[in-house]
Amino acid sequence: MKDLVVYYSLEGNTRQAAERIAERLHADILQLQTVKEILKSKMKFFIGGMQATFGVCAKLKPLALNPEQYDRIILGTPVWAGKATPAVNAFLKKFNVKNKVTALFTLSGGGDNDKCVRYLKKKLAHLRTTVALADRNHPDASENERKLNGFVEELINGQ
Ligand SMILES: Cc1cc2nc3c(=O)[nH]c(=O)nc-3n(C[C@H](O)[C@H](O)[C@H](O)COP(=O)(O)O)c2cc1C
């Protein structure tokens, strides 16, 4: 089975999780990048939060590989306003991949992972395995490693 880990990350938390998952699964990895990056000031919460709330699709930079050529996609997103990021919305809209996304990892700063998972489950009918991780500044981040191990094990056993 050919696996691809696809993720968006503004501040590195989701990237770190994505790299660990890809390494352990021996999967290819693809970072989604937007043409216009959100400012890393406090305005990001307002602008990004509004975009996520309304399900905006960002304009993506060209992808380095074709996600449609993979059997299974493991998708990662930070939680924004309880939803997915505009880059992930765009990815799911632009490419014919929804039926390949069977696993999801979400990163949140305040514990809104469940909300985001519920939101994405409505779009991803084949989603089976999920893991909710905490931002490195959140006390629950100490649980990330254990949760990631369980997530990867499930994916390996599910093959
Ligand atoms: C625009 C924006 C909106 C956010 N909204 C939420 C939210 O609704 N709930 C939450 O728990 N965390 C929220 N966060 C925090 C991020 O989910 C968290 O910091 C995450 O780890 C960031 O991942 P990254 O480092 O890969 O960008 C938000 C962050 C940003 C920038």
Side-chain angles (χ1 to χ4, degrees):
M1 176 159 345
K2 222 169 143 196
D3 283 337
L4 178 66
V5 176
V6 178
Y7 71 97
Y8 171 79
S9 181
L10 183 65
E11 292 178 320
N13 290 275
T14 314
R15 181 187 314 121
Q16 190 182 48
E19 286 171 353
R20 293 212 176 145
I21 294 165
E23 191 184 306
R24 288 175 199 175
L25 286 176
H26 305 290
D28 287 345
I29 186 164
L30 176 66
Q31 179 178 15
L32 302 175
Q33 290 178 300
T34 57
V35 172
K36 254 191 178 178
E37 192 54 283
I38 286 209
L39 292 176
K40 289 186 182 173
S41 69
K42 285 200 171 149
M43 279 301 283
K44 72 187 172 194
F45 292 107
F46 178 71
I47 298 168
M50 288 294 275
Q51 290 179 351
T53 298
F54 292 105
V56 166
C57 293
K59 192 162 185 217
L60 295 176
K61 287 189 183 171
L63 303 189
L65 43 79
N66 181 359
E68 293 172 6
Q69 285 177 348
Y70 288 79
D71 303 307
R72 180 168 71 170
I73 292 178
I74 297 113
L75 183 64
T77 183
V79 177
W80 281 9
K83 293 192 172 176
T85 45
V88 164
N89 292 337
F91 174 70
L92 294 175
K93 190 168 181 196
K94 189 167 177 191
F95 300 95
N96 185 19
V97 290
K98 281 191 187 144
N99 59 344
K100 294 170 190 270
V101 181
T102 60
L104 174 72
F105 56 104
T106 54
L107 271 287
S108 92
D112 280 328
N113 288 298
D114 290 353
K115 228 169 145 186
C116 181
V117 171
R118 279 200 303 276
Y119 172 77
L120 280 171
K121 267 191 175 158
K122 287 183 197 151
K123 297 181 185 224
L124 302 169
H126 297 269
L127 196 57
R128 284 197 302 270
T129 316
T130 64
V131 67
L133 304 170
D135 187 280
R136 61 173 84 85
N137 298 316
H138 194 280
D140 290 352
S142 58
E143 289 292 301
N144 282 357
E145 191 62 22
R146 183 187 60 76
K147 287 182 178 179
L148 267 183
N149 286 339
F151 180 67
V152 169
E153 236 169 76
E154 262 188 72
L155 293 176
I156 291 170
N157 294 334
Q159 274 182 1

